[in-house]
Amino acid sequence: MLTKEQNDLITRTGPGTPGGDLLRRYWQPIALSSELPPGGAPLPIDLLGEELVLFRDERGRVGLLDRHCCHRGTDLSYGRLEDGGLRCLYHGWLYDVTGKCLEQPAEPKHSTFKDKVCQTAYPVLERAGAFFAYFGPGAAPEFPAYDFFMAAPEYLHQSKVSVGCNYMQANEGNYDPAHVGFLHRTEGENRAANRALHRVGVSDAEAAHVDSGEPPRLEVEATAFGLRVYQIRSGGPGREYLRVTIFGMPNFAVISGPQGGDGHIGIWHVPIDDGSHWRWHFAVRRDAPLDHDGRYATSHTNSPEYEAEYTLRRKSTNRYLQDRTDMQATFTGMGHNFNAHDAFATESQGAIQDRTRENTAASDTAVVAARRMMLAAVDDVRAGKEPLGVVRDPTQNRFVDLISFDVLADAALDRRDVVRQVIERCAVVS
Ligand code: FES
Ligand SMILES: [Fe+2]
């Protein structure tokens, strides 16, 4: 349970809010590369309570500007791409990708007023098939060298979908392993194919020793990027089944998902406003290029569960198309798509979950630890310190231990040694 003030600190992200100041210290994904191809129209973007426009100038340089012209506020996403920038349709003011005002053609010939104004602009990078922006003060930090950002395109798949709730409660689902055995469960004859155990890196024969119905124990370990969350079940005599997931500061998680082989998915939850956000998937395979099935399973497109423009077909307005006769086959009666289940569970908590009224339990160990970490980071930013996970020194920009996996391990081994062994086995993709 949190106080109202604490809840506001981690859920309110608009300009000038402490939680918003925290999120703005990290590079955030803002659009897919495919949404702004060379020569494409300027793209309106709503993010962190701000109205923005992303565009490529005639030379291919990318800019992210406040969407409202600093003259008298007209929407620049309708503007003309010409003469080295983006030109407002109202009176022709022209801005380059840095927000510098290049021309004010309606002003007197010798006016220097254009040198006295500028359009708010944010640094942008194109990486991993997406655009990322830095919204914070001063120089941008290093772009984090997570493997799912650095891998070659054939090893990587990126997608996004909109979700109608606060970013924080949706991310909490990623490091809440107990929900997987309920919300995502298949029933009846399908039980044998229960996906409650993802079993990435664990063979069918080995998994036969693991009781997927046993409530897992949870342990958390603080790291340089956030939390490593251990989900622990007995795995037969002298063995433990460990599933390791990651909470990454401040708004992502890493899970070993259905991408196949040796890999995982980085999942970002980026606020559009405080009651909605984008859920991003960056799926990577290290041992081999992602095949069709791996891309399909991690994607937010190509499935009847999704509509155009990155939205799920199941939503609150159609009661998530719940079919109660289908509850013989699935726990929810809402089909087999995990993202649809997660959207139902987290959207129905309310646009912003009222955490003053909850009763957190043992299965919420990681959720509670992550909130503490977020609140401490909010305090750090307020105190003028760099928050956890922001990298300024290029030599420190390495994250080999930011990894999610499943493993059957010797129960006598220290868990940190298990993590080390898995890292040594992992292929390198960057
Ligand atoms: S409002 Fe944009 S140029 Fe006047
Ligand atoms: Fe889930």
Side-chain angles (χ1 to χ4, degrees), residues 196-261:
L197 293 178
H198 286 261
R199 290 197 268 116
V200 177
V202 178
S203 72
D204 286 352
E206 289 174 319
H209 295 289
V210 183
D211 178 3
S212 65
E214 175 194 349
R217 281 184 294 122
L218 286 188
E219 289 181 15
V220 295
E221 176 190 337
T223 67
F225 48 74
L227 292 173
R228 181 174 292 114
V229 181
Y230 297 94
Q231 179 185 348
I232 308 152
R233 289 185 170 96
S234 57
R239 310 271 275 168
E240 275 183 344
Y241 173 76
L242 285 183
R243 178 168 165 76
V244 171
T245 54
I246 301 294
F247 160 65
M249 283 292 295
N251 58 329
F252 76 98
V254 185
I255 63 164
S256 56
Q259 75 290 322

Side-chain angles (χ1 to χ4, degrees), residues 83-103:
D83 302 325
L86 178 61
R87 192 184 295 281
C88 180
L89 297 188
Y90 203 178
H91 311 94
W93 290 21
L94 179 72
Y95 305 101
D96 73 7
V97 292
T98 68
K100 182 173 161 48
C101 186
L102 303 175
E103 293 178 13

Side-chain angles (χ1 to χ4, degrees), residues 374-394:
M374 288 287 281
L375 288 167
V378 167
D379 283 345
D380 283 344
V381 171
R382 281 166 146 176
K385 293 189 216 156
E386 203 77 87
L388 186 73
V390 170
V391 180
R392 294 272 170 194
D393 177 353

